[in-house]
Amino acid sequence: MLMPILYEYVRFGLLCVVLIVAAVYDWRTGRIPNSLTLVGILLGLIWASVGVFFESGFESVGQGLGQSGLGLLCGFVPMAVVFFAGGMGGGDVKLAAAVGAIMASWEGALGTLVYAFAVALVMALGLMIRHRIFVRTLMRVFSAMLSFRAKVAPVMPRDSPPVPFAVALCIGGIISGMEFILHIPMPWG
């Protein structure tokens, strides 16, 4: 009985460490190191297979890897779509994949993204108000919508302050981890 609980707490701790280090690094430098995200993916895959091994034996290791791999894909694919649309950096995509691999849960990975995008929206609104670019940003969004309607690629200047998305992923991942790893019910769920 103690082993599954300990396994889940270690997994949540691993998730928190990866997310907090990535958030601090992104906040300070605007980048997320590949070494952190790739090690997070690898540790997630290994930890998922180890947990299933101790619970059900060697024949179930593939099941643990499959759950972790599905979580990895559910974190990676939506973020890759946003990346290829020019909406964020590659480090954010790999960090979301690491979150999914560590959580070994497709629900946890998608929950993390939902919470992270909500947090990023609040952060972006705060940045726009702080830098007094709220109206300018709304005009740019309206212009981009008109460009899409006219089937012309919008020209978007890159002079706005960036939102450190790893911070939003950190907050979203911890909330989602509390729900899907530790099974702590959230007041809104």
Side-chain angles (χ1 to χ4, degrees):
M1 182 66 184
L2 182 63
M3 189 60 152
I5 294 171
L6 180 64
Y7 167 77
E8 296 297 335
Y9 278 105
V10 170
R11 185 161 56 128
F12 182 71
L14 175 64
L15 176 71
C16 289
V17 166
V18 169
L19 285 172
I20 291 169
V21 169
V24 168
Y25 204 89
D26 191 24
W27 184 274
R28 289 184 176 175
T29 66
R31 298 177 52 83
I32 303 169
N34 283 337
S35 57
L36 176 66
T37 57
L38 298 178
V39 166
I41 289 170
L42 184 63
L43 287 175
L45 292 168
I46 290 170
W47 194 248
S49 61
V50 166
V52 171
F53 173 75
F54 283 122
E55 194 173 302
S56 303
F58 187 72
E59 61 276 353
S60 298
V61 169
Q63 179 186 2
L65 284 173
Q67 289 173 342
S68 184
L70 183 60
L72 184 149
L73 285 175
C74 287
F76 178 80
V77 171
M79 294 290 283
V81 169
V82 175
F83 169 76
F84 286 117
M88 70 183 44
D92 299 319
V93 177
K94 291 176 273 191
L95 182 60
V99 167
I102 293 168
M103 291 182 99
S105 163
W106 66 270
E107 298 103 334
L110 293 178
T112 296
L113 295 181
V114 168
Y115 290 133
F117 280 110
V119 169
L121 176 65
V122 171
M123 290 171 62
L125 288 172
L127 280 171
M128 287 188 290
I129 291 169
R130 181 172 175 242
H131 292 280
R132 298 179 185 184
I133 58 172
F134 189 78
V135 174
R136 182 179 77 182
T137 303
L138 288 179
M139 294 304 289
R140 286 180 179 175
V141 169
F142 182 68
S143 174
M145 289 173 25
L146 290 177
S147 296
F148 285 128
R149 178 94 169 120
K151 297 183 179 166
V152 177
V155 177
M156 299 301 286
R158 301 252 181 213
D159 61 344
S160 297
V163 174
F165 194 72
V167 175
L169 271 173
C170 178
I171 295 168
I174 290 173
I175 293 170
S176 187
M178 287 170 34
E179 281 184 308
F180 291 101
I181 294 176
L182 301 181
H183 308 292
I184 298 172
M186 293 294 122
W188 53 82

